[in-house]
Amino acid sequence: MKAVFIQKHGSADVLEYGERPMPVPGPADALVRLAACGVNFIDIYHRGGLYKIDLPFTLGVEGAGTVEHVGSGVTDLAPGDRVAWAMEPGAYATHAKVAAWRLVKIPPQTSFESAAAAMLQGMTAHYLVHSTFPLAARHTALIHAAAGGTGLLLVQMAKRLGARVIGTAGTEAKAALAREAGADEVILYSQTDFAAETRRLTSGAGVDVVYDSVGKTTFEGSLNSLKPRGMMVSFGNASGAVPDFPPLLLAQKGSLFLTRPNLAHYATTREEIAWRAGDVLGWIGEGSLKLRIDKSYPLSEAAQAHRDLESRATAGKLILIP
Ligand code: NDP
């Protein structure tokens, strides 16, 4: 089979496209022929070595396709089923072995491309607003990179719950997309002190929660944007990992709460995945959650997709087509 893999960590140049052995599914797995693979920032962390993996490694943790074969212990899937998944490596490929409990069936009206675009970022936005800090109409949330793949879904899901949303974005064009997704206000954080602007927009009060996927460059400003006892949800490192800091800082900034969540711990069972993915794919199917697929690349051009994502050139989702 064809796949995109790495034999060493580094820039997008280390991505290799070529032949890899066909995966052999175990009794609890399915073998899926991929129709579309999702590109995520986590793929850049795997490639660069920020998140530890064993080499060689086939990149990609999100995909959609058709079941070709199921293991002897799998009773609820059959060859021909249209399925999608997130959080299992090996998706930048023509075929992947996936644990059956992670697979969800794609509704008939939903394309493979949409399913591959929605699973990881959609379930992430879902757990952030429903489980990590359950949003309600009384809350104001600050959402960084609001025009990113995860950001656009997060803004829409926060608005579904009635919260006031202040977004940040790097350019005016991205700010317009965040507003279109429902953000009440958008701050151009490349030009404006977003913490001061957030204070101004909240009459000095600060926000109840910050969903911060940018990391290093926004961390301290995010703490400065919160109400006393507000919740800092640091869920990504697009600008680099947050440096070490003393817990006393949280007291000084207002007895803040800090969490560093990961989708892996919010999609731990078949039931939890069915709930989150069912909501996400259901809302997309009925048209109440809009997906923005910014660009689709042939699988062999995965390196270009990485370059585009890490250079902040994209707004919305990138997918690869094997
Ligand atoms: P995005 O589409 O959001 O792309 C990243 C965006 O971050 C850029 O477009 C850019 O938007 C912004 N950004 C700010 N500073 C930088 C920088 N120095 N370099 C690159 N980008 C920067 O990507 P994803 O939706 O795939 O992921 C967003 C984040 O969410 C990542 O940090 C990812 O790790 C995290 N994540 C975490 C999960 C979890 O469970 N913890 C699961 C899924 C995603 P702008 O130009 O507007 O600033």
Side-chain angles (χ1 to χ4, degrees):
M1 68 160 191
K2 289 277 195 271
V4 173
F5 57 99
I6 55 170
Q7 305 195 66
K8 60 180 181 188
H9 296 298
S11 71
D13 296 341
V14 302
L15 262 53
E16 296 180 47
Y17 174 71
E19 268 316 308
R20 299 287 293 159
M22 183 67 90
V24 181
D29 299 327
L31 181 70
V32 181
R33 179 164 44 82
L34 278 119
C37 333
V39 177
N40 293 285
F41 229 93
I42 192 173
D43 306 334
I44 292 171
Y45 307 144
H46 285 148
R47 190 202 73 208
L50 180 66
Y51 291 0
K52 299 295 166 225
I53 48 163
D54 292 331
L55 297 173
F57 182 79
T58 297
L59 284 158
V61 293
E62 176 180 42
T66 308
V67 173
E68 281 204 336
H69 175 80
V70 294
S72 55
V74 178
T75 53
D76 49 359
L77 286 170
D81 285 345
R82 299 168 75 244
V83 292
W85 74 96
M87 299 305 276
E88 186 147 320
Y92 285 12
T94 52
H95 293 78
K97 177 187 80 161
V98 187
W101 69 272
R102 286 193 201 276
L103 290 168
V104 297
K105 289 189 188 168
I106 304 173
Q109 74 274 22
T110 305
S111 67
F112 286 123
E113 289 81 0
S114 293
M119 287 295 288
L120 194 145
Q121 296 173 347
M123 287 202 289
T124 298
H126 190 280
Y127 85 70
L128 290 171
V129 301
H130 291 96
S131 306
T132 305
F133 183 94
L135 276 178
R138 65 181 182 281
H139 294 130
T140 301
L142 176 62
I143 297 177
H144 287 307
T150 308
L152 285 172
L153 298 174
L154 195 46
V155 168
Q156 292 178 74
M157 287 191 207
K159 289 309 296 177
R160 283 184 89 87
L161 295 166
R164 178 183 176 197
V165 171
I166 302 173
T168 63
T171 64
E172 193 46 70
K174 287 187 176 186
L177 290 171
R179 273 189 218 101
E180 220 174 278
D184 297 283
E185 286 98 6
V186 183
I187 303 170
L188 287 182
Y189 60 173
S190 42
Q191 301 170 15
T192 309
D193 175 347
F194 73 82
E197 185 60 6
T198 300
R199 288 270 163 210
R200 193 187 69 75
L201 290 169
T202 54
S203 308
V207 296
D208 299 280
V209 56
V210 183
Y211 296 106
D212 186 336
S213 65
V214 174
K216 190 175 176 180
T217 58
T218 47
F219 185 75
E220 186 145 12
S222 295
L223 298 184
N224 292 337
S225 304
L226 282 161
K227 277 180 183 167
R229 297 184 304 193
M231 171 74 91
M232 169 65 176
V233 182
S234 172
F235 74 99
N237 344 263
S239 68
V242 175
D244 292 348
F245 68 92
L248 185 59
L249 188 67
L250 299 175
Q252 290 161 344
K253 303 272 184 199
S255 298
L256 303 176
F257 294 87
L258 166 69
T259 182
R260 179 48 177 98
N262 183 325
L263 174 58
H265 305 124
Y266 286 88
T268 52
T269 60
R270 172 177 281 279
E271 291 69 32
E272 197 170 26
I273 291 173
W275 167 42
R276 300 197 195 283
D279 277 357
V280 171
L281 296 178
W283 294 332
I284 290 169
E286 71 184 24
S288 66
L289 181 70
K290 305 278 186 231
L291 265 180
R292 184 173 196 278
I293 299 182
D294 194 14
K295 203 162 168 197
S296 161
Y297 306 72
L299 179 61
S300 56
E301 290 172 22
Q304 189 56 46
H306 276 214
R307 288 185 195 104
D308 292 346
L309 184 60
E310 62 193 334
S311 67
R312 304 172 74 164
T314 63
K317 184 74 183 183
L318 305 182
I319 57 170
L320 305 173
I321 305 298

